[in-house]
Amino acid sequence: MTLNVLSFPDIQREDSQFVRVSRRELSRVNQEFCVEEDIHGETDFAGIVGQSSALRQVLHLVEMVAASEATVLLLGETGTGKELIARAIHERSQRQKEAFVTLNCAAIPSSLFESELFGHERGAFTGAYIQKVGRLELADRGTLFLDEVGDMSLELQPKLLRVLQERAYERVGSARTKSVDVRLVAATNRDLEEMMAEKQFRSDLYYRLNVFPMRIPPLRERREDIPLLVQYFMQQYAKKMGKRIETVPAATMQKLQRWSWPGNVRELGNLVQRSVILTSGNTLVVSFPKKNGAINAAKVVGNFEEQERIVATLRKTKGRVSGPNGAASQLGVKKSTLFDRMKKLGIDAREVRSDLMYSQGAGD
């Protein structure tokens, strides 16, 4: 029986080529993330929207720590934008031209975590048909973002600790130690100090991660940023859906600012996206979340039908609402009632009138 054994130079060449291919693919994915999935704001500061004092303080810390090589621990509730802050740190660091690699510790089963983080050799375990480059190797000379690090199992924590201490690791199924130069940013929505007290998180790993801790404020602590976020989300989703939605009623915006937002910016973005889908006029119609969070299909269809009926009547009356020949009279309702329904459904009589004049002019 002949064994195909690679010499050390061959292994180095194979590794180098494989890593280059993997990094090109990672770069493509990162570009797609920035273009398509960065839904939190303008691109002047890693896609972060807001002018509140709480957010400015966080961004000031980002500027300060980015220039260092310190490990950063981001603490905050789910949906607050911890990955965006991690990207901002990377993009303002000396490693900005290298890879930014992410790994969600809660999304990877413990049995596969080592393979994802360190990589594996072909044949290292059942199903390992090809060699795999781990996230550490992909992030070499760049930044590795470990999200939900508090969900990492106790048995894996010493292996991450060793990387932080020695800057070295082995692929699964390999005896060759590889060195790595990586800047680590970790994040969690859990109380790591409480987990330490309960023996669920290693204290030595915690102190390695807790070099520069940063708390990301929840949305309820930066309510003045909500109008900016709503406008941004509304414009982005309306553009993707080919809609023209220009305004948000003042009463709606006030209610949005008073909302508790347990899911933070992510929950706000989801609500605006849902509202854009359900809006057919130029004014955003927001359906605030109920207890079960489900969309009432009958109510939505009813609103669409009523909206179409009112718009059709306004076109007949050339945008006139009141008077004997106005839309309220033709629909058999009071003027005040019709105005209330138009406001709720996002219908603007002036827009109907201008669209009608435009279409008539184009026809001429």
Side-chain angles (χ1 to χ4, degrees), residues 46 65 70 84 114 134 161 198 214 223 266 278 280 284 294 327:
V65 75
L84 286 173
E114 283 188 79
L161 178 64
E198 297 175 354
M214 291 174 56
R223 295 182 188 276
R266 185 181 296 124
L278 298 175
S280 57
L284 188 70

Side-chain angles (χ1 to χ4, degrees), residues 287-334:
S287 177
F288 285 88
K290 302 272 191 307
K291 187 174 182 180
N292 61 11
I295 296 173
N296 188 325
K299 183 177 179 180
V300 170
V301 172
N303 285 343
F304 276 132
E305 291 175 348
E306 182 181 10
Q307 193 175 52
E308 291 176 354
R309 185 167 63 254
I310 292 174
V311 170
T313 305
L314 285 170
R315 290 180 68 87
K316 289 180 183 178
T317 64
K318 298 181 180 179
R320 183 178 302 168
V321 177
S322 58
N325 296 319
S329 176
Q330 294 198 20
L331 291 169
V333 297
K334 293 180 180 180

Side-chain angles (χ1 to χ4, degrees), residues 243-271:
K243 295 186 175 184
R244 189 179 70 179
I245 304 176
E246 300 171 346
T247 59
V248 181
T252 299
M253 190 65 78
Q254 290 172 5
K255 191 172 181 180
L256 287 169
Q257 287 185 278
R258 291 194 300 266
W259 206 258
S260 60
W261 301 115
N264 294 293
V265 178
R266 185 181 296 124
E267 182 186 6
L268 175 62
N270 291 343
L271 177 66

Side-chain angles (χ1 to χ4, degrees), residues 84-98:
L84 286 173
I85 297 298
R87 283 180 177 274
I89 293 171
H90 171 74
E91 290 171 4
R92 278 161 173 70
S93 73
Q94 296 179 355
R95 299 171 180 262
Q96 59 182 282
K97 295 183 180 179
E98 303 297 337

Side-chain angles (χ1 to χ4, degrees), residues 29-75:
V29 172
N30 277 339
Q31 289 172 2
E32 289 179 358
F33 177 92
C34 293
V35 173
E36 298 176 6
E37 296 185 23
D38 183 10
I39 60 173
H40 284 236
E42 306 299 335
T43 56
D44 57 334
F45 210 120
I48 300 167
V49 164
Q51 298 177 352
S52 65
S53 174
L55 182 61
R56 287 201 305 269
Q57 290 173 13
V58 170
L59 298 182
H60 180 61
L61 290 177
V62 168
E63 295 279 11
M64 294 175 68
V65 75
S68 74
E69 289 292 302
T71 298
V72 180
L73 179 61
L74 303 178
L75 306 169

